[in-house]
mmCIF file of all heavy atoms in Angstrom:
data_model
loop_
_atom_site.group_PDB
_atom_site.id
_atom_site.type_symbol
_atom_site.label_atom_id
_atom_site.label_comp_id
_atom_site.label_asym_id
_atom_site.label_seq_id
_atom_site.Cartn_x
_atom_site.Cartn_y
_atom_site.Cartn_z
ATOM 1 N N ALA A 24 9.452 -17.712 6.529
ATOM 2 C CA ALA A 24 10.437 -17.588 7.571
ATOM 3 C C ALA A 24 9.965 -18.117 8.911
ATOM 4 O O ALA A 24 10.755 -18.477 9.783
ATOM 5 C CB ALA A 24 10.902 -16.152 7.727
ATOM 6 N N ILE A 25 8.622 -18.145 9.068
ATOM 7 C CA ILE A 25 8.034 -18.659 10.308
ATOM 8 C C ILE A 25 7.553 -20.075 10.098
ATOM 9 O O ILE A 25 6.730 -20.317 9.214
ATOM 10 C CB ILE A 25 6.860 -17.779 10.749
ATOM 11 C CG1 ILE A 25 7.293 -16.316 10.869
ATOM 12 C CG2 ILE A 25 6.277 -18.259 12.078
ATOM 13 C CD1 ILE A 25 6.162 -15.344 11.177
ATOM 14 N N PRO A 26 8.013 -21.056 10.864
ATOM 15 C CA PRO A 26 7.492 -22.423 10.721
ATOM 16 C C PRO A 26 5.985 -22.469 10.919
ATOM 17 O O PRO A 26 5.481 -22.000 11.922
ATOM 18 C CB PRO A 26 8.240 -23.202 11.827
ATOM 19 C CG PRO A 26 9.458 -22.360 12.134
ATOM 20 C CD PRO A 26 9.060 -20.928 11.890
ATOM 21 N N SER A 27 5.296 -23.024 9.914
ATOM 22 C CA SER A 27 3.825 -22.980 9.945
ATOM 23 C C SER A 27 3.282 -23.757 11.146
ATOM 24 O O SER A 27 2.299 -23.349 11.769
ATOM 25 C CB SER A 27 3.287 -23.592 8.643
ATOM 26 O OG SER A 27 3.727 -24.907 8.481
ATOM 27 N N ILE A 28 3.935 -24.881 11.492
ATOM 28 C CA ILE A 28 3.475 -25.667 12.624
ATOM 29 C C ILE A 28 3.589 -24.889 13.936
ATOM 30 O O ILE A 28 2.698 -24.960 14.794
ATOM 31 C CB ILE A 28 4.261 -27.002 12.715
ATOM 32 C CG1 ILE A 28 3.682 -27.872 13.817
ATOM 33 C CG2 ILE A 28 5.717 -26.757 12.947
ATOM 34 C CD1 ILE A 28 2.296 -28.384 13.530
ATOM 35 N N LEU A 29 4.639 -24.051 14.050
ATOM 36 C CA LEU A 29 4.790 -23.244 15.241
ATOM 37 C C LEU A 29 3.690 -22.197 15.334
ATOM 38 O O LEU A 29 3.126 -21.977 16.413
ATOM 39 C CB LEU A 29 6.173 -22.569 15.221
ATOM 40 C CG LEU A 29 6.467 -21.610 16.391
ATOM 41 C CD1 LEU A 29 6.419 -22.338 17.725
ATOM 42 C CD2 LEU A 29 7.843 -20.937 16.214
ATOM 43 N N PHE A 30 3.382 -21.546 14.212
ATOM 44 C CA PHE A 30 2.338 -20.541 14.168
ATOM 45 C C PHE A 30 0.993 -21.175 14.524
ATOM 46 O O PHE A 30 0.221 -20.605 15.307
ATOM 47 C CB PHE A 30 2.264 -19.931 12.786
ATOM 48 C CG PHE A 30 1.163 -18.893 12.589
ATOM 49 C CD1 PHE A 30 1.361 -17.596 13.002
ATOM 50 C CD2 PHE A 30 -0.033 -19.277 12.051
ATOM 51 C CE1 PHE A 30 0.366 -16.640 12.853
ATOM 52 C CE2 PHE A 30 -1.054 -18.335 11.887
ATOM 53 C CZ PHE A 30 -0.844 -17.028 12.299
ATOM 54 N N ILE A 31 0.721 -22.353 13.966
ATOM 55 C CA ILE A 31 -0.565 -23.017 14.257
ATOM 56 C C ILE A 31 -0.651 -23.409 15.734
ATOM 57 O O ILE A 31 -1.722 -23.201 16.370
ATOM 58 C CB ILE A 31 -0.697 -24.257 13.377
ATOM 59 C CG1 ILE A 31 -0.800 -23.830 11.903
ATOM 60 C CG2 ILE A 31 -1.913 -25.074 13.749
ATOM 61 C CD1 ILE A 31 -0.761 -24.990 10.930
ATOM 62 N N LEU A 32 0.434 -23.913 16.284
ATOM 63 C CA LEU A 32 0.408 -24.335 17.693
ATOM 64 C C LEU A 32 0.175 -23.151 18.625
ATOM 65 O O LEU A 32 -0.615 -23.247 19.585
ATOM 66 C CB LEU A 32 1.746 -25.016 18.069
ATOM 67 C CG LEU A 32 1.967 -26.437 17.500
ATOM 68 C CD1 LEU A 32 3.358 -26.899 17.835
ATOM 69 C CD2 LEU A 32 0.944 -27.373 18.030
ATOM 70 N N VAL A 33 0.824 -22.011 18.352
ATOM 71 C CA VAL A 33 0.627 -20.823 19.149
ATOM 72 C C VAL A 33 -0.807 -20.326 19.046
ATOM 73 O O VAL A 33 -1.467 -19.987 20.058
ATOM 74 C CB VAL A 33 1.633 -19.712 18.742
ATOM 75 C CG1 VAL A 33 1.289 -18.402 19.445
ATOM 76 C CG2 VAL A 33 3.051 -20.141 19.070
ATOM 77 N N PHE A 34 -1.306 -20.294 17.863
ATOM 78 C CA PHE A 34 -2.662 -19.808 17.627
ATOM 79 C C PHE A 34 -3.715 -20.681 18.330
ATOM 80 O O PHE A 34 -4.647 -20.179 18.949
ATOM 81 C CB PHE A 34 -2.944 -19.723 16.102
ATOM 82 C CG PHE A 34 -4.082 -18.806 15.750
ATOM 83 C CD1 PHE A 34 -3.845 -17.482 15.476
ATOM 84 C CD2 PHE A 34 -5.369 -19.281 15.707
ATOM 85 C CE1 PHE A 34 -4.867 -16.626 15.122
ATOM 86 C CE2 PHE A 34 -6.420 -18.451 15.367
ATOM 87 C CZ PHE A 34 -6.172 -17.110 15.078
ATOM 88 N N LEU A 35 -3.538 -21.991 18.185
ATOM 89 C CA LEU A 35 -4.521 -22.892 18.767
ATOM 90 C C LEU A 35 -4.440 -22.978 20.299
ATOM 91 O O LEU A 35 -5.374 -23.346 20.967
ATOM 92 C CB LEU A 35 -4.363 -24.320 18.160
ATOM 93 C CG LEU A 35 -4.701 -24.480 16.698
ATOM 94 C CD1 LEU A 35 -4.414 -25.871 16.227
ATOM 95 C CD2 LEU A 35 -6.173 -24.123 16.447
ATOM 96 N N SER A 36 -3.241 -22.643 20.836
ATOM 97 C CA SER A 36 -3.104 -22.643 22.299
ATOM 98 C C SER A 36 -3.731 -21.407 22.897
ATOM 99 O O SER A 36 -4.053 -21.377 24.095
ATOM 100 C CB SER A 36 -1.603 -22.690 22.656
ATOM 101 O OG SER A 36 -0.923 -21.553 22.169
ATOM 102 N N VAL A 37 -3.893 -20.344 22.077
ATOM 103 C CA VAL A 37 -4.536 -19.098 22.618
ATOM 104 C C VAL A 37 -6.051 -19.188 22.478
ATOM 105 O O VAL A 37 -6.780 -18.793 23.415
ATOM 106 C CB VAL A 37 -3.997 -17.900 21.803
ATOM 107 C CG1 VAL A 37 -4.732 -16.607 22.234
ATOM 108 C CG2 VAL A 37 -2.509 -17.723 22.036
ATOM 109 N N PHE A 38 -6.527 -19.666 21.358
ATOM 110 C CA PHE A 38 -7.982 -19.793 21.092
ATOM 111 C C PHE A 38 -8.429 -21.255 21.303
ATOM 112 O O PHE A 38 -7.676 -22.159 21.120
ATOM 113 C CB PHE A 38 -8.338 -19.271 19.723
ATOM 114 C CG PHE A 38 -7.982 -17.839 19.498
ATOM 115 C CD1 PHE A 38 -6.759 -17.506 18.877
ATOM 116 C CD2 PHE A 38 -8.772 -16.818 19.901
ATOM 117 C CE1 PHE A 38 -6.385 -16.198 18.658
ATOM 118 C CE2 PHE A 38 -8.450 -15.487 19.675
ATOM 119 C CZ PHE A 38 -7.255 -15.159 19.051
ATOM 120 N N GLU A 39 -9.694 -21.356 21.591
ATOM 121 C CA GLU A 39 -10.251 -22.735 21.792
ATOM 122 C C GLU A 39 -10.315 -23.456 20.455
ATOM 123 O O GLU A 39 -10.957 -23.006 19.493
ATOM 124 C CB GLU A 39 -11.663 -22.641 22.367
ATOM 125 C CG GLU A 39 -12.269 -24.002 22.686
ATOM 126 C CD GLU A 39 -13.651 -23.840 23.310
ATOM 127 O OE1 GLU A 39 -14.061 -22.739 23.593
ATOM 128 O OE2 GLU A 39 -14.262 -24.905 23.545
ATOM 129 N N PRO A 40 -9.663 -24.619 20.331
ATOM 130 C CA PRO A 40 -9.648 -25.335 19.054
ATOM 131 C C PRO A 40 -11.054 -25.811 18.627
ATOM 132 O O PRO A 40 -11.865 -26.171 19.458
ATOM 133 C CB PRO A 40 -8.744 -26.543 19.326
ATOM 134 C CG PRO A 40 -7.946 -26.165 20.561
ATOM 135 C CD PRO A 40 -8.859 -25.268 21.383
ATOM 136 N N SER A 41 -11.298 -25.749 17.359
ATOM 137 C CA SER A 41 -12.544 -26.259 16.733
ATOM 138 C C SER A 41 -12.248 -26.608 15.312
ATOM 139 O O SER A 41 -11.208 -26.242 14.773
ATOM 140 C CB SER A 41 -13.666 -25.221 16.842
ATOM 141 O OG SER A 41 -13.358 -24.085 16.052
ATOM 142 N N ILE A 42 -13.175 -27.292 14.683
ATOM 143 C CA ILE A 42 -13.009 -27.655 13.256
ATOM 144 C C ILE A 42 -12.870 -26.423 12.400
ATOM 145 O O ILE A 42 -11.989 -26.322 11.549
ATOM 146 C CB ILE A 42 -14.158 -28.543 12.776
ATOM 147 C CG1 ILE A 42 -14.172 -29.865 13.557
ATOM 148 C CG2 ILE A 42 -14.058 -28.819 11.296
ATOM 149 C CD1 ILE A 42 -15.315 -30.800 13.163
ATOM 150 N N THR A 43 -13.756 -25.435 12.636
ATOM 151 C CA THR A 43 -13.714 -24.225 11.811
ATOM 152 C C THR A 43 -12.405 -23.461 12.009
ATOM 153 O O THR A 43 -11.776 -23.017 11.036
ATOM 154 C CB THR A 43 -14.883 -23.295 12.192
ATOM 155 O OG1 THR A 43 -16.115 -23.997 11.991
ATOM 156 C CG2 THR A 43 -14.869 -22.081 11.328
ATOM 157 N N LEU A 44 -11.974 -23.323 13.265
ATOM 158 C CA LEU A 44 -10.750 -22.601 13.518
ATOM 159 C C LEU A 44 -9.526 -23.342 12.933
ATOM 160 O O LEU A 44 -8.623 -22.718 12.370
ATOM 161 C CB LEU A 44 -10.548 -22.465 15.055
ATOM 162 C CG LEU A 44 -9.283 -21.683 15.479
ATOM 163 C CD1 LEU A 44 -9.341 -20.252 14.983
ATOM 164 C CD2 LEU A 44 -9.180 -21.708 16.994
ATOM 165 N N LEU A 45 -9.547 -24.646 12.992
ATOM 166 C CA LEU A 45 -8.445 -25.437 12.429
ATOM 167 C C LEU A 45 -8.355 -25.230 10.905
ATOM 168 O O LEU A 45 -7.273 -25.101 10.348
ATOM 169 C CB LEU A 45 -8.654 -26.916 12.746
ATOM 170 C CG LEU A 45 -7.442 -27.835 12.747
ATOM 171 C CD1 LEU A 45 -6.377 -27.313 13.685
ATOM 172 C CD2 LEU A 45 -7.838 -29.278 13.067
ATOM 173 N N ILE A 46 -9.518 -25.222 10.249
ATOM 174 C CA ILE A 46 -9.534 -25.004 8.815
ATOM 175 C C ILE A 46 -8.961 -23.619 8.450
ATOM 176 O O ILE A 46 -8.137 -23.474 7.528
ATOM 177 C CB ILE A 46 -10.980 -25.144 8.271
ATOM 178 C CG1 ILE A 46 -11.446 -26.599 8.362
ATOM 179 C CG2 ILE A 46 -11.074 -24.637 6.821
ATOM 180 C CD1 ILE A 46 -12.903 -26.784 8.008
ATOM 181 N N VAL A 47 -9.390 -22.613 9.217
ATOM 182 C CA VAL A 47 -8.948 -21.267 8.932
ATOM 183 C C VAL A 47 -7.452 -21.089 9.168
ATOM 184 O O VAL A 47 -6.726 -20.521 8.327
ATOM 185 C CB VAL A 47 -9.749 -20.238 9.778
ATOM 186 C CG1 VAL A 47 -9.158 -18.828 9.658
ATOM 187 C CG2 VAL A 47 -11.193 -20.244 9.365
ATOM 188 N N VAL A 48 -6.975 -21.616 10.299
ATOM 189 C CA VAL A 48 -5.546 -21.462 10.648
ATOM 190 C C VAL A 48 -4.650 -22.176 9.637
ATOM 191 O O VAL A 48 -3.670 -21.612 9.158
ATOM 192 C CB VAL A 48 -5.294 -21.973 12.076
ATOM 193 C CG1 VAL A 48 -3.805 -21.963 12.352
ATOM 194 C CG2 VAL A 48 -6.018 -21.153 13.097
ATOM 195 N N ILE A 49 -5.009 -23.409 9.305
ATOM 196 C CA ILE A 49 -4.185 -24.165 8.321
ATOM 197 C C ILE A 49 -4.244 -23.495 6.974
ATOM 198 O O ILE A 49 -3.249 -23.411 6.287
ATOM 199 C CB ILE A 49 -4.673 -25.618 8.254
ATOM 200 C CG1 ILE A 49 -4.419 -26.347 9.558
ATOM 201 C CG2 ILE A 49 -3.966 -26.364 7.113
ATOM 202 C CD1 ILE A 49 -4.934 -27.761 9.600
ATOM 203 N N GLY A 50 -5.435 -23.008 6.582
ATOM 204 C CA GLY A 50 -5.563 -22.316 5.311
ATOM 205 C C GLY A 50 -4.727 -21.033 5.222
ATOM 206 O O GLY A 50 -4.106 -20.739 4.225
ATOM 207 N N LEU A 51 -4.692 -20.292 6.324
ATOM 208 C CA LEU A 51 -3.989 -19.045 6.371
ATOM 209 C C LEU A 51 -2.459 -19.229 6.426
ATOM 210 O O LEU A 51 -1.708 -18.251 6.237
ATOM 211 C CB LEU A 51 -4.427 -18.174 7.517
ATOM 212 C CG LEU A 51 -5.869 -17.638 7.441
ATOM 213 C CD1 LEU A 51 -6.228 -16.856 8.692
ATOM 214 C CD2 LEU A 51 -6.056 -16.799 6.204
ATOM 215 N N THR A 52 -1.992 -20.398 6.722
ATOM 216 C CA THR A 52 -0.549 -20.626 6.834
ATOM 217 C C THR A 52 0.033 -21.404 5.640
ATOM 218 O O THR A 52 1.248 -21.423 5.450
ATOM 219 C CB THR A 52 -0.212 -21.414 8.101
ATOM 220 O OG1 THR A 52 -0.972 -22.616 8.141
ATOM 221 C CG2 THR A 52 -0.525 -20.597 9.346
ATOM 222 N N ASN A 53 -0.844 -21.989 4.845
ATOM 223 C CA ASN A 53 -0.343 -22.853 3.727
ATOM 224 C C ASN A 53 -0.585 -22.272 2.335
ATOM 225 O O ASN A 53 -0.407 -22.955 1.332
ATOM 226 C CB ASN A 53 -1.005 -24.236 3.812
ATOM 227 C CG ASN A 53 -0.500 -25.033 4.984
ATOM 228 O OD1 ASN A 53 0.547 -24.768 5.536
ATOM 229 N ND2 ASN A 53 -1.305 -26.014 5.416
ATOM 230 N N TRP A 54 -0.956 -21.002 2.251
ATOM 231 C CA TRP A 54 -1.232 -20.400 0.930
ATOM 232 C C TRP A 54 0.023 -19.985 0.168
ATOM 233 O O TRP A 54 -0.016 -19.770 -1.067
ATOM 234 C CB TRP A 54 -2.143 -19.165 1.090
ATOM 235 C CG TRP A 54 -1.517 -18.061 1.918
ATOM 236 C CD1 TRP A 54 -1.652 -17.923 3.253
ATOM 237 C CD2 TRP A 54 -0.722 -16.992 1.462
ATOM 238 N NE1 TRP A 54 -0.936 -16.818 3.673
ATOM 239 C CE2 TRP A 54 -0.386 -16.220 2.572
ATOM 240 C CE3 TRP A 54 -0.272 -16.604 0.173
ATOM 241 C CZ2 TRP A 54 0.420 -15.062 2.484
ATOM 242 C CZ3 TRP A 54 0.546 -15.473 0.088
ATOM 243 C CH2 TRP A 54 0.855 -14.690 1.220
#
C-alpha cells in the first residue's frame, strides 16, 4: 500500500545515504 520509492526517499532523506544503507533500504522494501 506504500509506494516503495516514496519510503526509500523519505528514509534516505533522514539518514545519510551510503552503499550499505541503500542495500538495506531497497532490500527491506522489495521483499
Side-chain angles (χ1 to χ4, degrees):
I25 304 174
S27 59
I28 185 67
L29 177 61
F30 178 84
I31 294 172
L32 288 174
V33 171
F34 200 91
L35 292 177
S36 63
V37 174
F38 299 95
E39 183 178 357
S41 66
I42 296 178
T43 302
L44 182 62
L45 202 57
I46 292 173
V47 172
V48 173
I49 295 177
L51 292 178
T52 54
N53 290 338
W54 61 270

